[in-house]
Structure formats: structure tokens, C-alpha cells
Amino acid sequence: MRSCYAGQLTAERLDQVVKLYGWVHRRRDHGGVIFIDLRDREGLAQVVCDPDRAEVFGIAERIRNEYCVRVTGKVRRRPEGTVNANLASGEVEVLCESLEILNASVTPPFQLDDENLSETTRLTHRVLDLRRPQMQHNLMLRYRVAMEVRRYLDSLGFVDIETPMLTKSTPEGARDYLVPSRVNAGEFFALPQSPQLFKQLLMVAGFDRYYQITKCFRDEDLRADRQPEFTQIDCETSFLSETEIREIFEQMIRTVFRNAIGVDLPQPFPSMTHVDAMRLYGSDKPDLRVSLEFTELTDAMKDVEFKVFSGPANAEGGRVVGLRVPGGGEMTRSEIDAHTQFVGIYGARGLAYIKVNDPSRGREGLQSPIVKNLHDAAIAAVLERTGAQAGDLVFFGADKAKVVNDAIGALRNRIGHSEFARKSGLFDAGWKPLWVVDFPMFEYDEGDERWVANHHPFTAPKDGHEDYLRTDPGQCLAKAYDMVLNGWEIGGGSVRIHREEVQSKVFRALKIGPEEARAKFGFLLDALQYGAPPHGGIAFGLDRIVTMMTGAESIRDVIAFPKTQRAQCLLTEAPSAVDEKQLRELHIRLRASEAARTG
């Protein structure tokens, strides 16, 4: 058994004989003395192999990087001038008395300290990638975060209960991953997108405080913060109000950040309505580190000659906003053109702007090709509402509200995270949490010409809003809440519907008829009739939280064996074709084109 981990070796063990296990991170031959940097999950320790011990020295001459070895030796202080303050073990070294090669290694495909590896290389050789200190740190932090969550919830009486991985397909939102049943020919299980229905059933069953750190599955297009399988901290509780639920889980996140990474988050977290978030930032997950805000100009542009503004201002669902950038007047034309090209990704057809040279002179103090198309009242509204000063730049978004929100919201983040913003004080580094509340219950799907659930169809309407379910679903607000941190949604939840008659009203608003509701959710509707308690909960993305804590660019850096953006595992080469016998057992036949493609 090891005496301690290499990375935990300190001066407290001076003159002790220790036994260490690990991998050769680096071998250095310094004029007859061989130094080995021994690495394990906790860090590095320096091992000295002296030629006076011929057997040890002979073995040390043979070892290479990534050999797995056992070291026994005496701990001593490093010579003066060789202390490494960057290592926990940097004051000491081990004079090797016994060295054993437990397993040799072929030459690795890359150096573990290479910081310029492609993601393809890293994911193909994931086992070696995981040996790198940064990845070891990431996964160890993930473990500590999960343990802090468990300790906190356990202290409040939450019970960890597993829910099924093979369940019923109830398509709502993302596509399900389907699993064919061999025993029940032609029928399929679905992998859960979340344990939503089961945790509600557990509330009806009387387990009033439930949690689970569990895998969820969604067959959707991927990006940096999404994976086909992801880990959710899933929580549900009974007999608590929306405010009480938020208080419990706000304190959980505050506790996890303090204990896992030594960060004290604000207390309490600020909250903002969904309406205000969209009005000020065009996003329901605004990054509050960026001080830039939208200025509403729709009403001021209704009668201007500039059709680019007046068209959306007068159209149903249109919007015109300004985004004032203090000191932005120093931006070059090429920088503005780059921003114009950027917002095009989000559907914007252009990016109008005004440089403010001297606001006291009105239109004469402004520089922009659009000024001549705006009357004095519109120009006065822009200057007054934005508060623009000399040297500022005002960008404009004018289109359907969704396009404006997406495009100018993304532009706000792009500028706010730039070096210019950091120098200008427009970006406040740190941790900025936020509750976004009072979400719309529904969104209108113009393609299907029907209302769809904004979160999921089991979210309760605000008190007094139940009548809107029948008369005007667009006015109905939900008892829903999202926790946002630095522009990332890290958790979301709601108070649930606990009465069957209200759930049926929601289904009717969604144009889910009685037969469809019975086929998809009959087990839930039945359960709600047996004295279901008031209940609600929240789910947090464990992957996202740890990604933010580590400062990683992608959640793939905090998952041991992730998939690529094409939902492939380069390590195991999954997904892969299966043989005809397996398909026959599952009662599946591939189309000719699919069979040819899969070989």
C-alpha cells in the first residue's frame, strides 16, 4: 500500500521511508544522477536515483515516460535553490532505495504537457488525455462538487432514489433516444430526457424530498455546452412555495461553490422577471458581468422615413432597440463590419450604427449614414434614452423581436467579452448569479399553428392565471424559474401542476386531446387523482457547473468519456454497425440505403 500520493508528499514526512506508485511524467539524466518526476492523480513528486545504488540506477536508465512504477525511498529536503514553489511536494524529494517497473509503456502519441493538442487526438486517445494534470483536476473537482451536493441535500432530508433508464417515449422538446424491445416485437423504450414524470410520481407516493445525480439523454444537435448524454442534479420537494424552493437550492449552489472552489457567491441572488431580461438583454440567461443594456426605441421609430426601422416598429411582433457602447466611437470601420457580419449569423440583415461626436449639437454632432433618414424627435429619443455621451457608439437592431433579441443579445456578449470592454470597464470579472422568474407558460409555434409549452407541460400557472389557459394562453405566466450564472443557465425548474383538472386544461391549451393525453401521460393523470401534494423542484446541469468552475471551453473537458459534436465516441468508435442476427432478434430491418451505408 502506498504511504501517500506523490502530489501530497510534504516536509511533514522528512526522513521517513515512503512507498509511492504512479507514472513517469518525465525522466531527466543530470550528469550521472537520474531524476524522475513521478505523477499520480494528486500531482508530482521528484525521485532521485543515485548511481551508488547500481540496481536502482540500472532500472532508472531503462524507464521512459508513462512507465507505471513503484518507488520506495527516504524523504529529504531538496538542495538549496532547487525548491519548486509551484508543487505541493516542491520542498522535498525521495532518494530512491527501490524501483520496480510495474508495466512498461509504448511511446505515447503525444506529450502529456502539450497544450496544442487537437480535440480529435485527445478524444481518440482519451485514456492518455485523462492522465494530464488538468483533466485529473477537472474530474476530481467534479467528484468534489457531487459530494458537496449530496452532503447538503442529505442534511435537509432529501432521499436519493433511482428512476428508470428504460421508460416510455413521451416526445416533448428534444428527440428521444429509442431502444427496441426484443421481447415485445415492434415496441420501443425511450432513454429519459429527464426523470421529470417519475419524480412527480415520487411526490405523490409520499417521498417528499427526492434527489438524484443521474444521466439524461437527448438526441439533439450538439455544441460546446451540450452532449447526447449529460448529468443532471435532479431535485423535487413537496409542500413548499416557489420562494422556499428557490431559497433551498440557492443556498445549495452557494455552499457548493464555497466548499469546492472557495468562492463566496452573493447572498441573496438577485432576481429578474423574464420580461425585464428580454427587454434589457434580449436573453433569458443574461451575463450580468457585461454592463451593456438594450434601449427600447420601437415607439420612437414608427413614423421615420427609414423603412429599416419603421417597418419592424409598425409590424406585429417587431422591435427596434439601441445598444449604447460607451467609448465605442474609437471602433474602426473594419471592426464595425466584423460585428455586422457576426449578427448575420443570427438572422440580422444588417447593423446600423451612430457615432456620437457631440450630443449637444443634435444631428450635427452625429456621424452615420442613417442620420439623414431620422427626424429630430427620433434622434432626440435615441440620445435621451441611451444617455449617449461624446465618444460613444450606438448600434441598432430592427426586425422581428426574436431576431433582434438573438442578434443584438449576441453582439452585446461579443463586445462585452472583448479586450476593449475589459479595458473600458464594461466587463466586471467575477461570479454574477441571477434568478430569472415569471416565464411565459407557452410559446406560439407558427409552423404548427399552436401553443407549445415553454418549459414542459407539467409546469403550474401563476395564481390567478388559470383562466388564461382557455381565453388567452399567451398571457399566462408560469411558476417557473431559472438560475443563471455568468450567462449560462445552470439550473431550471418550476412548481408543478398537482391537480388533474388543471393538468387537463394545460393539455387542451396545447391541443393535446384526451386520447393523446391518456396515451402519453395516463399514468401521471391517474396518479394526480390520489391526493397528489403541491410540489415543485429544479434540475441543475452538473457538467455545466463544473465547466464554469474549471474555466474549460467545453463540457467535454469535464466528462470522462464524452461524445464529439457528431455524437460519436472516438475512443470506442461508437456508434457502430451491428450484425444481422442482432437486428433480427430486435425485429428490425434496415432500408437498403442504410444497410449499404453501415456496411
Side-chain angles (χ1 to χ4, degrees), residues 159-230:
V159 181
D160 183 355
I161 304 177
E162 293 182 346
T163 53
M165 283 292 154
L166 296 176
T167 184
K168 183 181 180 66
S169 178
T170 54
E172 292 292 335
R175 287 180 293 272
D176 285 329
Y177 274 102
L178 299 178
V179 180
S181 172
R182 178 183 60 82
V183 177
N184 301 286
E187 297 184 341
F188 295 80
F189 294 105
L191 300 180
Q193 294 189 27
S194 79
Q196 179 62 49
L197 298 180
F198 286 104
K199 67 180 179 180
Q200 290 191 247
L201 295 176
L202 287 169
M203 295 301 102
V204 181
F207 298 94
D208 65 309
R209 293 196 170 192
Y210 142 95
Y211 86 97
Q212 188 180 186
I213 300 179
T214 184
K215 286 288 188 185
C216 301
F217 305 85
R218 294 180 186 175
D219 186 6
E220 58 186 348
D221 295 334
L222 308 181
R223 54 179 187 252
D225 62 343
R226 285 186 180 174
Q227 283 277 288
E229 52 180 325
F230 56 96

Side-chain angles (χ1 to χ4, degrees), residues 23-37:
W23 288 264
V24 176
H25 186 68
R26 189 179 294 107
R27 171 189 172 278
R28 296 168 283 135
D29 191 336
H30 286 192
V33 177
I34 295 176
F35 293 88
I36 296 171
D37 291 335

Side-chain angles (χ1 to χ4, degrees), residues 500-513:
E500 188 275 338
E501 66 270 19
V502 178
Q503 187 66 74
S504 295
K505 288 180 182 179
V506 171
F507 284 154
R508 283 195 292 272
L510 295 169
K511 293 187 177 180
I512 297 175

Side-chain angles (χ1 to χ4, degrees), residues 109-288:
F110 54 83
Q111 295 294 322
L112 267 63
D113 54 3
D114 187 346
E115 297 182 357
N116 298 310
L117 297 172
S118 71
E119 188 170 66
T120 298
T121 297
R122 292 179 55 203
L123 295 184
T124 301
H125 304 281
R126 188 61 163 182
V127 173
L128 291 177
D129 183 50
L130 288 174
R131 287 187 185 177
R132 298 193 305 136
Q134 184 59 52
M135 293 302 298
Q136 297 263 314
H137 169 266
N138 289 357
L139 293 187
M140 293 298 290
L141 176 60
R142 182 188 177 106
Y143 162 74
R144 291 198 300 274
V145 168
M147 287 303 298
E148 289 298 335
V149 167
R150 292 186 184 280
R151 276 191 282 265
Y152 177 83
L153 293 176
D154 182 69
S155 73
L156 294 180
F158 283 79
V159 181
D160 183 355
I161 304 177
E162 293 182 346
T163 53
M165 283 292 154
L166 296 176
T167 184
K168 183 181 180 66
S169 178
T170 54
E172 292 292 335
R175 287 180 293 272
D176 285 329
Y177 274 102
L178 299 178
V179 180
S181 172
R182 178 183 60 82
V183 177
N184 301 286
E187 297 184 341
F188 295 80
F189 294 105
L191 300 180
Q193 294 189 27
S194 79
Q196 179 62 49
L197 298 180
F198 286 104
K199 67 180 179 180
Q200 290 191 247
L201 295 176
L202 287 169
M203 295 301 102
V204 181
F207 298 94
D208 65 309
R209 293 196 170 192
Y210 142 95
Y211 86 97
Q212 188 180 186
I213 300 179
T214 184
K215 286 288 188 185
C216 301
F217 305 85
R218 294 180 186 175
D219 186 6
E220 58 186 348
D221 295 334
L222 308 181
R223 54 179 187 252
D225 62 343
R226 285 186 180 174
Q227 283 277 288
E229 52 180 325
F230 56 96
T231 303
Q232 190 166 286
I233 305 168
D234 196 56
C235 310
E236 197 80 2
T237 184
S238 298
F239 310 117
L240 296 180
S241 68
E242 176 182 346
T243 299
E244 291 169 326
I245 293 170
R246 283 170 43 198
E247 287 174 349
I248 284 177
F249 293 104
E250 176 180 318
Q251 185 58 34
M252 183 187 84
I253 293 299
R254 193 180 293 111
T255 299
V256 168
F257 268 75
R258 182 178 60 249
N259 293 348
I261 61 172
V263 167
D264 288 317
L265 296 177
Q267 185 172 1
F269 292 179
S271 65
M272 178 181 298
T273 65
H274 179 268
V275 167
D276 284 343
M278 300 306 293
R279 176 176 62 85
L280 293 173
Y281 308 110
S283 171
D284 58 8
K285 47 181 183 293
D287 187 344
L288 296 188

Side-chain angles (χ1 to χ4, degrees), residues 8 18 20 24 66 68 89 98 136 197 291 308 313 366 382 417 423 472 507-508 525 537 585 594:
Q8 296 175 337
V18 297
L20 305 177
V24 176
E66 300 312 312
C68 184
S89 64
S98 172
Q136 297 263 314
L197 298 180
S291 62
V308 172
L366 307 179
V382 170
H417 287 260
K423 290 180 179 179
D472 189 359
F507 284 154
R508 283 195 292 272
L525 296 175
E585 289 177 338
E594 293 295 316

